[in-house]
């Protein structure tokens, strides 16, 4: 898979189909693998946390999830496709249903997780979900051991970043193979608890604007995170 450099990170420069094909190869590989759906907030955090920076460098695929990543690459002279993590994960579940690949889901509240699974099953009645667990736990090692026992080939973790990425990094030590992906608030959307932005917002890359207008508390996450991110991108472009 082609990649494009953003700071120290190799961002996937691909189509959604090619990314899905690569994800399926990782699922059927002989070792555990990690995909990170990267956004500007993650990049900002990596500047302050070397452990997280190393995690991003070690990930098998960095999918350009946030529209900010696509814009940043354009500023640096490289056009790439944005691949929304929520759409990517859902299509991967459809592929798992077709191939009988066992899946695990970890994160959010018990109520939301159950509702998300219920809705997913309406579209994918034959999806093999071998493990599910809410995201409220004090002892992650217990979850790792349960994953080891149930042996899913795809693990979706919705714990928020960077918690989900660190959870996945450590969970990999307990698994022989398979693919693990952090999917942020996807279960909330799949459950119907949170409404996704209308298609026009998605196509224009303005989902963040829709979320801010419907969830004003998100402003604290976006600002000053986005201005800081783009300031660093501009500095990178001009070698400052």
């Amino acid at each position: 898979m082609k990649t494009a450099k953003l700071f120290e990170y190799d961002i996937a420069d691909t189509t959604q189909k090619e990314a899905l094909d690569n994800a399926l190869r990782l699922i059927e590989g002989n070792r555990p693998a990690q995909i990170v759906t990267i956004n500007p907030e993650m990049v900002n955090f990596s500047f302050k946390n070397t452990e997280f920076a190393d995690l991003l460098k070690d990930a098998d695929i960095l999918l350009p999830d946030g529209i900010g990543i696509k814009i940043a690459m354009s500023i640096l002279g490289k056009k790439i496709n944005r691949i929304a993590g929520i759409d990517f994960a859902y299509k991967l579940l459809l592929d798992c249903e077709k191939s009988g690949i066992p899946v695990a889901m970890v994160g959010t509240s018990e109520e939301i997780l159950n509702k998300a699974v219920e809705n997913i099953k309406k579209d994918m009645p034959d999806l093999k979900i071998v493990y599910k667990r809410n995201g409220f736990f004090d002892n992650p090692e217990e979850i790792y051991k349960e994953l080891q026992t149930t042996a899913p080939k795809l693990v979706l973790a919705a714990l928020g970043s960077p918690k989900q990425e660190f959870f996945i990094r450590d969970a990999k030590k307990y698994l022989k193979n398979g693919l693990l992906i952090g999917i942020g608030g996807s279960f909330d959307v799949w459950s119907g608890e949170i409404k996704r932005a209308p298609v026009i917002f998605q196509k224009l890359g303005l989902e963040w604007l829709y979320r801010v207008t419907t969830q004003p508390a998100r402003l604290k996450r976006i600002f000053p995170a986005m201005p800081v991110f783009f300031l660093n991108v501009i500095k990178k472009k001009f070698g400052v």
Side-chain angles (χ1 to χ4, degrees):
M1 181 187 293
K2 289 198 308 179
T3 60
K5 189 71 76 174
L6 177 62
F7 301 109
E8 302 175 88
Y9 309 121
D10 294 317
I11 310 297
D13 177 14
T14 186
T15 63
Q16 185 183 76
K17 183 183 184 306
E18 185 181 7
L20 286 167
D21 289 343
N22 275 276
L24 289 170
R25 280 193 283 272
L26 291 172
I27 284 173
E28 298 299 347
N30 57 8
R31 61 174 180 82
Q34 179 172 10
I35 289 180
V36 175
T37 55
I38 193 168
N39 61 37
E41 291 165 283
M42 291 182 182
V43 176
N44 283 353
F45 183 67
S46 75
F47 293 149
K48 301 180 291 185
N49 188 295
T50 56
E51 191 178 0
F52 190 68
D54 289 341
L55 184 155
L56 294 181
K57 292 173 193 173
D58 290 340
D60 293 87
I61 299 176
L62 296 178
L63 280 183
D65 178 38
I67 188 64
I69 299 295
K70 180 176 180 177
I71 294 172
M73 296 306 300
S74 294
I75 291 171
L76 296 174
K78 180 69 177 179
K79 291 185 178 181
I80 64 171
N81 295 309
R82 180 196 172 212
I83 301 176
I86 186 170
D87 297 327
F88 178 82
Y90 206 81
K91 288 181 182 296
L92 191 55
L93 287 175
L94 287 168
D95 287 335
C96 287
E97 182 198 26
K98 291 175 187 175
S99 302
I101 294 168
V103 174
M105 300 180 177
V106 180
T108 195
S109 69
E110 189 73 16
E111 180 182 359
I112 289 175
L113 179 59
N114 287 336
K115 185 62 178 176
V117 169
E118 179 184 332
N119 289 340
I120 288 168
K121 280 288 195 175
K122 290 176 183 176
D123 287 345
M124 308 173 216
D126 296 325
L127 182 65
K128 187 177 179 183
I129 300 175
V130 295
Y131 181 76
K132 62 185 179 73
R133 177 68 160 78
N134 68 57
F136 296 91
F137 49 82
D138 296 320
N139 181 14
E141 188 170 340
E142 176 186 326
I143 313 301
Y144 301 149
K145 289 180 178 178
E146 289 173 352
L147 288 171
Q148 188 177 51
T149 300
T150 53
K153 298 293 287 293
L154 173 66
V155 179
L156 300 181
L159 302 169
S161 186
K163 183 178 179 181
Q164 64 193 16
E165 282 74 38
F166 285 128
F167 172 86
I168 286 171
R169 179 199 62 184
D170 295 337
K172 285 165 57 181
K173 301 170 187 174
Y174 291 77
L175 300 176
K176 292 181 180 179
N177 52 25
L179 175 63
L180 301 89
I181 310 175
I183 58 169
S186 296
F187 290 149
D188 295 319
V189 176
W190 294 341
S191 72
E193 183 72 13
I194 292 178
K195 187 177 180 181
R196 194 171 178 195
V199 174
I200 185 64
F201 282 81
Q202 296 176 37
K203 288 183 176 179
L204 293 174
L206 294 174
E207 284 184 87
W208 64 272
L209 180 59
Y210 178 83
R211 287 197 294 266
V212 165
T213 57
T214 56
Q215 299 170 271
R218 281 182 170 267
L219 270 173
K220 293 180 180 179
R221 288 179 52 186
I222 295 176
F223 298 101
M226 290 296 273
V228 168
F229 172 73
F230 283 114
L231 178 61
N232 282 319
V233 171
I234 291 168
K235 286 181 177 179
K236 176 72 173 175
K237 180 177 178 65
F238 294 103
V240 177

